[in-house]
Amino acid sequence: MINIKNHCTYFLSICFLLMIFSCKIKKSSISDLKKYEPVDIDLYNEIEAMDTKFFKAYNTCDLQLQSEIYSEDIEFFHDKGGLMTSKEALIEGTEKNICGKVTRTILSGSMEVYPIKDFGAVEIGYHKFYNSKEPDAISKPSKFIIFWRKIEADWKITKVVSLHN
């Protein structure tokens, strides 16, 4: 004969354990992320100043300064344009497609800077581009990642990931 009481006790024990276990499991979400705080405020300020310097040159078409800041072995990844590894072609493309037409602004509070040991830093943030030839176009925030290498006292951009989707 089957002992119903033992089976019910066993079943309830399993249900209770499953309930406890399921309560311990929590899905992660963006709200679980801790607010960004710079790991190194001096590094953050240096990269913020370099971002400002570079994009002032970008917005005013100072191709010489842009060229000085780009590394000789630049890698520029663009989600729509692909990979560009020629500094000369990058500067020529900026002159042809950006100068006098496009300006960039960074979204306030979006910049994050992380040190990269024995290399420099990575900057991550959101920015917008405005095209003077399309004044009614809506500029949507897009994500960027810039790898900065410190060579002696100079900062150089070695890699850029530009996402506009």
Side-chain angles (χ1 to χ4, degrees):
M1 183 180 254
I2 298 176
N3 185 338
I4 299 292
K5 186 177 178 183
N6 285 348
H7 282 286
C8 287
T9 303
Y10 178 75
F11 178 75
L12 289 174
S13 296
I14 295 294
C15 288
F16 180 72
L17 288 173
L18 288 173
M19 185 176 72
I20 289 172
F21 181 71
S22 66
C23 288
K24 298 277 185 189
I25 297 174
K26 178 184 172 197
K27 287 188 177 183
S28 295
S29 70
I30 196 85
S31 65
D32 293 333
L33 296 177
K34 138 178 132 172
K35 186 176 186 287
Y36 170 75
E37 293 289 331
V39 175
D40 179 337
I41 193 65
D42 293 331
L43 177 64
Y44 180 92
N45 291 336
E46 276 188 79
I47 296 303
E48 183 178 45
M50 286 306 301
D51 182 275
T52 299
K53 181 178 181 178
F54 180 82
F55 282 102
K56 180 178 179 188
Y58 178 92
N59 289 340
T60 61
C61 203
D62 184 342
L63 298 173
Q64 179 63 39
L65 183 55
Q66 289 177 65
S67 182
E68 290 171 13
I69 296 174
Y70 279 134
S71 169
E72 292 302 320
D73 58 350
I74 183 73
E75 292 180 314
F76 192 100
F77 299 87
H78 193 283
D79 61 343
K80 299 198 185 309
L83 171 63
M84 185 176 288
T85 58
S86 166
K87 181 162 110 169
E88 289 176 9
L90 187 54
I91 295 297
E92 287 171 7
T94 300
E95 183 176 30
K96 178 181 174 188
N97 300 307
I98 303 300
C99 287
K101 301 173 192 162
V102 176
T103 56
R104 179 258 196 181
T105 60
I106 191 165
L107 268 66
S108 179
S110 75
M111 191 175 93
E112 298 179 6
V113 175
Y114 301 92
I116 305 291
K117 185 179 187 304
D118 299 327
F119 182 81
V122 61
E123 172 190 9
I124 303 167
Y126 284 90
H127 53 195
K128 287 185 171 187
F129 293 89
Y130 299 91
N131 188 333
S132 64
K133 303 298 179 193
E134 299 172 4
D136 296 328
I138 296 172
S139 179
K140 296 178 184 172
S142 59
K143 186 171 249 182
F144 69 91
I145 304 167
I146 301 174
F147 289 85
W148 293 90
R149 183 170 198 166
K150 190 152 194 184
I151 303 170
E152 296 175 13
D154 293 328
W155 285 100
K156 300 287 184 183
I157 295 174
T158 61
K159 291 180 184 10
V160 176
V161 179
S162 185
L163 306 170
H164 297 275
N165 285 328

